[in-house]
């Protein structure tokens, strides 16, 4: 680690470089380094994720994350951290450290501080990135990370849910195939509130190690899913959480002009209950649901998976009925 800071000119030769581990995340080692020149964040990819089930992933994914952050910085400056340098040998990189004025959005939501305006900003931000990268042949080549996306997202989420629920494989596996073969935009792959900081000038996207040129529906469904899960966890706050659901997708679709919105919204809606089921029975279950809430989420996700022609409005209405305070 000392080598990379010296090579970047961020540390002096006589200066100790000491890293302090930061909490959060299951896929990487994340550290804070305080030097005379300032504070920095170092991220190093792990070959095995820190979850109960075995989950092995290629460490080369770190270079996809670096590429995503640099690409997004050109499109939405100030809404992703700046990459300051990388180290191929250790599969790590240095980025700017964002201080306490940046609040973790997951923590805010779970604490009951729910602001649909933030969700609207996230939807607009994601829409701008997708719109600016749509049908870009150069980015499609740079981010042809199909194997990484399968190992990080499709297999541990949807395929694993099909393993747990073989009777639903006929619903879940076609979602995997369709998503894997739809290539439209630069996809973040982990648009989750835990990877979003609410900052003074709007949201900041983190943790883009699942970056892939693929289906924009995945990013949208992945984020919308978290409002549903938190509504199940906090039914007294289901109404403002579902207002976030509406605000985010409304702002996003206002930017989506690269394909027919009806087709895109249909893919988001059909993918959403599969991802919901995956967050209780996949390799990365959410940690905050009680067992009764987990059972309710599972039952509703299965019910929705079996429906044809599902819409986002129907999903939100179903969730509101199930989890109203």
């Amino acid at each position: 680690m000392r080598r990379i800071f010296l090579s970047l000119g961020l540390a002096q030769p006589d200066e100790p470089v000491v890293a302090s581990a930061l909490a959060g995340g299951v896929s990487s080692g994340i550290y804070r380094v305080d030097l005379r020149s300032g504070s920095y964040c170092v991220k190093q990819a792990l070959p095995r994720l820190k979850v109960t089930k075995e989950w092995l992933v290629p460490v080369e994914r770190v270079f996809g994350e670096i590429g995503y952050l640099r690409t997004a910085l050109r499109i939405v400056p100030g809404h992703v951290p700046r990459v300051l340098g990388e180290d191929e040998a250790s599969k790590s990189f240095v980025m700017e450290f964002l201080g306490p004025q940046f609040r973790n959005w997951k923590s805010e939501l779970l604490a009951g501080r729910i602001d649909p305006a933030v969700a609207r900003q996230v939807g607009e931000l994601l829409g701008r990135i997708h719109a600016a990268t749509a049908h870009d042949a150069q980015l499609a080549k740079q981010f042809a990370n199909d194997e990484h996306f399968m190992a990080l997202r499709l297999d541990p989420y949807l395929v694993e849910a099909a393993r747990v629920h073989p009777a639903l494989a006929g619903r879940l596996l076609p979602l995997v195939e369709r998503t894997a073969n739809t290539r439209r935009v630069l996809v973040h792959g982990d648009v989750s509130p835990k990877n979003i900081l609410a900052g003074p000038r709007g949201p900041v996207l983190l943790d883009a190690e699942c970056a892939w040129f693929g289906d924009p529906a995945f990013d949208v469904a992945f984020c919308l899913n978290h409002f549903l899960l938190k509504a199940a966890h906090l039914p007294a706050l289901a109404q403002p959480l579902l207002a976030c659901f509406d605000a985010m997708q409304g702002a996003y679709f206002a930017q989506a002009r690269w394909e027919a919105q009806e087709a895109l919204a249909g893919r988001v809606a059909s993918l959403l209950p599969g991802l919901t089921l995956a967050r209780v029975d996949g390799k990365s279950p959410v940690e905050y649901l009680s067992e009764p809430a987990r059972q309710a989420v599972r039952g509703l996700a299965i019910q929705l998976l079996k429906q044809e022609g599902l819409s986002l409005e129907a999903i939100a209405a179903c969730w509101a009925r199930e989890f109203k305070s």
Side-chain angles (χ1 to χ4, degrees):
M1 190 175 292
R2 177 180 176 79
R3 183 184 71 253
I4 186 172
F5 280 96
L6 287 172
S7 68
L8 291 171
L10 299 174
Q12 299 301 313
D14 63 339
E15 185 177 10
V17 177
V18 180
S20 304
L22 295 173
V26 299
S27 61
S28 299
I30 306 176
Y31 308 92
R32 174 176 176 169
V33 175
D34 297 300
L35 300 171
R36 295 171 196 159
S37 58
S39 296
Y40 306 94
C41 183
V42 178
K43 186 171 182 181
Q44 182 178 33
L46 298 175
R48 176 172 178 163
L49 273 59
K50 295 176 283 186
V51 295
T52 302
K53 296 182 179 182
E54 184 176 71
W55 188 350
L56 304 175
V57 287
V59 291
E60 289 76 15
R61 68 189 186 275
V62 70
F63 302 113
E65 176 167 18
I66 293 167
Y68 182 98
L69 293 177
R70 286 175 169 160
T71 301
L73 188 68
R74 296 193 294 268
I75 302 166
V76 288
H79 294 286
V80 293
R82 290 180 297 117
V83 175
L84 304 175
E86 60 189 271
D87 183 53
E88 184 171 357
S90 62
K91 303 297 186 289
S92 64
F93 68 98
V94 179
M95 57 184 157
E96 64 178 320
F97 181 81
L98 301 175
Q101 69 270 35
F102 294 88
R103 306 176 313 281
N104 182 269
W105 195 28
K106 175 183 177 181
S107 299
E108 292 290 295
L109 293 173
L110 290 176
R113 294 185 288 271
I114 300 165
D115 184 357
V118 178
R120 187 175 301 110
Q121 291 172 336
V122 170
E124 181 181 1
L125 177 63
L126 190 61
R128 287 171 63 190
I129 295 172
H130 286 179
T133 61
H135 308 299
D136 187 313
Q138 182 177 343
L139 291 178
K141 183 177 180 180
Q142 179 183 350
F143 292 95
N145 301 326
D146 297 49
E147 291 183 8
H148 293 181
F149 198 78
M150 179 61 74
L152 284 160
R153 283 293 169 265
L154 297 180
D155 182 86
Y157 284 80
L158 297 173
V159 177
E160 181 67 15
R163 295 186 189 108
V164 175
H165 299 277
L168 295 172
R171 294 283 182 174
L172 291 164
L173 296 184
L175 294 175
V176 173
E177 183 177 3
R178 185 191 71 195
T179 304
N181 291 306
T182 302
R183 297 177 179 86
R184 301 274 196 282
V185 307
L186 178 57
V187 171
H188 180 283
D190 199 1
V191 185
S192 162
K194 73 177 177 62
N195 295 330
I196 297 172
L197 300 179
R201 298 183 179 179
V204 176
L205 284 175
L206 309 174
D207 288 350
E209 61 190 67
C210 302
W212 166 66
F213 199 86
D215 190 354
F218 189 91
D219 271 350
V220 184
F222 201 86
C223 190
L224 291 176
N225 190 32
H226 284 274
F227 302 126
L228 302 182
L229 294 166
K230 288 168 180 60
H233 174 60
L234 300 169
L237 298 174
Q239 183 175 354
L241 284 163
L242 291 174
C244 288
F245 183 102
D246 290 339
M248 189 236 162
Q249 59 125 342
Y252 174 81
F253 281 106
Q255 307 288 325
R257 301 183 184 91
W258 57 87
E259 64 174 299
Q261 289 196 4
E262 184 178 353
L264 176 55
R267 295 202 309 277
V268 175
S270 61
L271 190 56
L272 187 48
L275 290 175
T276 304
L277 183 62
R279 295 317 300 266
V280 294
D281 291 325
K283 288 189 177 182
S284 182
V286 291
E287 81 287 355
Y288 49 77
L289 290 177
S290 66
E291 188 53 36
R294 195 173 298 275
Q295 291 178 10
V297 166
R298 180 184 293 115
L300 195 53
I302 291 173
Q303 174 188 327
L304 291 170
L305 261 175
K306 294 178 178 179
Q307 293 186 23
E308 301 287 350
L310 202 58
S311 69
L312 291 172
E313 292 74 19
I315 292 173
C318 186
W319 222 261
R321 288 193 300 271
E322 181 72 19
F323 294 107
K324 62 183 178 182
S325 176

